[in-house]
Amino acid sequence: MKPREFAPGIFAVGVVDWDRRLFDSLIPLPDGTSYNAYLIKGSEKTALIDTVDRKMPEILIDNLDLLGIKRLDYIISNHSEPDHSGAIPQVVEKYPEAQVVCTPRAKDLLIDLFHLPAEKFKTVNDLETISLGDHTLEFIHAPWVHWPETMLTYLREDKILFPCDFFGSHIATTDLYVTDEGRVYEAAKRYYAEIMMPFRAQIQKNLEKIKDYDFELIAPSHGPMYGEPDFILNAYHEWAFDEPKNTVVIPYISMHGSTKKMVDYLVSALATRGVNVEQFDVSVADIGKLAMALVDAGTIVIGTPTVMIGPHPLIAYAAVLANALKPKAKYASIIGSYGWGTKAVETIASLIPNLKVEIIPPVICKGQPREADYQALDKLAETIVQKHKESGFK
Ligand code: FEO
């Protein structure tokens, strides 16, 4: 994508990665992604806000050439992860006068990642400013969105926030701005679930920290820009602050059908009692959708057969993932079947120490479920309904 000027002297110069399908060798990217970088030509100085993925530096460099940039004073690095910092070495090489502006923690990380000399850096304190002449950059330290070194850059005169990953969405699009709110809401929620949810307490603090700023535009480093910032700010408030919903998420595996019968029965038992349920066969599910469902879940029920005395390995993977994402669910349980012996419940419980949940007694059956097992599932559904009511989940 060639550079596009979206405000006087401010250009989008990043890259759209249409075909990328996996991030961190883990996260599915069904809609690709973008690495947005922004150039600000001030009356006295020029700054580049973030760079692009380490695999695509030439597109950014070409864009700077197309804009005729002969001198670059600052490379603002809001976040050190290489999808945004990966082209810093090439930009520094092309513009040797440029200083890399970042937090002190980011400086250490960037030196480790790219072996850049320390004198290339200018570290900034929280709320410190740099003037470009007619534009002022204010740096807002915002740790843990989603690394420890992250900061946001606020362009005061234009009231534009450049938050890097914060508020981002993995969408490859030619749209500079959000045009389809439904599509972006879903992608941003998926992104929040996968990247930001583990740091919900810090997300809350950072949302509080920026609440009195006046934003006319939020320009993240993934996905389209928010011309109506309240759209994404309100969504983040809901995801980070609101109580869980009257929703049960059931990640499960079934090998010979017994666990699936239990899942189907429980889903129906909950649905007829007015509880929303989302079930995921982990062997085929998009884990991004599972993560997204966990944002609102009041209860998580894990369904597993027993394999070699423990849970199915794919369920162990899902449990480790859920433990890492730290959703705000308040309750959890386990259902499943075994042939001749099982330690699935104990093993799963040991894999989810980060989940601050009350465990509702599991329902584990031997072989195919019998009438007593279905009755136990009805009781589990009743208990979940009761717990959700007591907790006020809507
Ligand atoms: Fe988009 Fe944390 O990198």
Side-chain angles (χ1 to χ4, degrees):
M1 199 76 65
K2 293 208 170 14
R4 287 183 283 180
E5 186 172 19
F6 58 90
I10 307 173
F11 301 82
V13 291
V15 173
V16 179
D17 196 344
W18 296 94
D19 300 320
R20 188 165 180 176
R21 287 293 173 267
L22 206 56
F23 200 90
D24 290 345
S25 299
L26 174 68
I27 296 169
L29 301 179
D31 299 314
T33 190
S34 64
Y35 320 109
N36 305 338
Y38 303 96
L39 187 87
I40 304 170
K41 277 182 173 177
S43 57
E44 294 171 15
K45 304 230 164 136
T46 298
L48 175 67
I49 299 189
D50 291 314
T51 69
V52 298
D53 191 84
R54 62 186 174 82
K55 293 179 189 152
M56 303 173 143
E58 66 288 347
I59 299 175
L60 173 64
I61 297 288
D62 284 352
N63 279 345
L64 298 177
D65 282 338
L66 283 169
L67 290 173
I69 303 301
K70 298 282 183 259
R71 178 187 166 85
L72 184 64
D73 297 283
Y74 303 113
I75 303 162
I76 314 299
S77 181
N78 284 317
H79 175 30
S80 307
E81 194 166 7
D83 52 325
H84 308 292
S85 64
I88 288 178
Q90 288 83 355
V91 178
V92 163
E93 189 181 349
K94 183 173 173 68
Y95 300 101
E97 70 286 351
Q99 287 183 294
V100 179
V101 177
C102 61
T103 64
R105 281 194 92 165
K107 177 180 171 182
D108 292 341
L109 279 166
L110 290 169
I111 288 173
D112 286 342
L113 284 168
F114 302 114
H115 302 169
L116 294 165
E119 59 270 21
K120 284 284 174 200
F121 288 85
K122 173 181 172 57
T123 59
V124 287
N125 294 320
D126 189 22
L127 308 183
E128 192 172 330
T129 59
I130 286 180
S131 173
L132 305 179
D134 53 354
H135 292 88
T136 310
L137 302 172
E138 178 180 338
F139 306 104
I140 306 167
H141 285 203
W144 294 109
V145 291
H146 59 123
W147 278 19
E149 88 301 359
T150 40
M151 70 175 188
L152 323 174
T153 298
Y154 181 55
L155 192 59
R156 276 185 182 167
E157 294 76 5
D158 302 83
K159 300 182 180 170
I160 302 174
L161 181 71
F162 299 96
C164 200
D165 276 350
F166 206 18
F167 308 125
S169 62
H170 283 310
I171 298 180
T173 173
T174 54
D175 293 344
L176 261 184
Y177 297 91
V178 173
T179 53
D180 179 343
E181 286 199 343
R183 182 183 182 208
V184 176
Y185 181 92
E186 176 140 339
K189 185 173 186 180
R190 174 190 272 261
Y191 188 87
Y192 167 86
E194 295 161 337
I195 307 288
M196 301 293 170
M197 186 160 65
F199 310 103
R200 196 161 61 89
Q202 288 84 357
I203 298 293
Q204 291 175 346
K205 278 187 200 156
N206 286 314
L207 288 172
E208 282 295 307
K209 186 168 184 177
I210 61 172
K211 76 177 183 338
D212 293 328
Y213 281 79
D214 186 8
F215 302 130
E216 287 186 357
L217 179 67
I218 292 181
S221 288
H222 295 293
M225 302 192 292
Y226 301 94
E228 293 178 17
D230 280 350
F231 162 64
I232 193 66
L233 291 169
N234 291 341
Y236 259 68
H237 267 270
E238 176 193 328
W239 302 330
F241 284 102
D242 281 9
E243 282 294 303
K245 295 198 162 92
N246 183 26
T247 296
V248 174
V249 171
I250 308 181
Y252 75 94
I253 288 283
S254 191
M255 297 193 303
H256 299 295
S258 299
T259 303
K260 178 74 163 68
K261 277 186 182 171
M262 298 177 78
V263 168
D264 288 346
Y265 190 89
L266 181 62
V267 168
S268 180
L270 287 163
T272 54
R273 289 167 171 84
V275 180
N276 304 311
V277 190
E278 294 197 54
Q279 66 180 77
F280 296 89
D281 175 347
V282 174
S283 67
V284 294
D286 172 343
I287 59 160
K289 289 212 164 189
L290 170 57
M292 198 166 28
L294 290 174
V295 171
D296 299 320
T299 297
I300 303 165
V301 177
I302 296 173
T304 186
T306 291
V307 180
M308 293 176 287
I309 216 73
H312 191 285
L314 288 177
I315 278 297
Y317 163 66
V320 168
L321 193 67
N323 185 62
L325 294 176
K326 298 188 198 167
K328 57 192 173 190
K330 299 260 174 72
Y331 307 100
S333 192
I334 300 163
I335 62 173
S337 75
Y338 66 99
W340 51 90
T342 183
K343 291 209 177 294
V345 168
E346 296 91 320
T347 307
I348 290 172
S350 73
L351 296 174
I352 52 173
N354 288 342
L355 302 189
K356 303 301 173 211
V357 288
E358 177 186 331
I359 301 284
I360 301 173
V363 180
I364 304 295
C365 77
K366 192 163 186 296
Q368 296 270 351
R370 298 176 169 82
E371 190 49 39
D373 303 308
Y374 290 124
Q375 284 173 9
L377 290 170
D378 276 323
K379 186 163 178 234
L380 174 59
E382 284 293 344
T383 307
I384 290 171
V385 168
Q386 191 59 31
K387 298 278 182 196
H388 282 200
K389 254 190 204 141
E390 286 165 14
S391 300
F393 298 164
K394 301 271 193 304

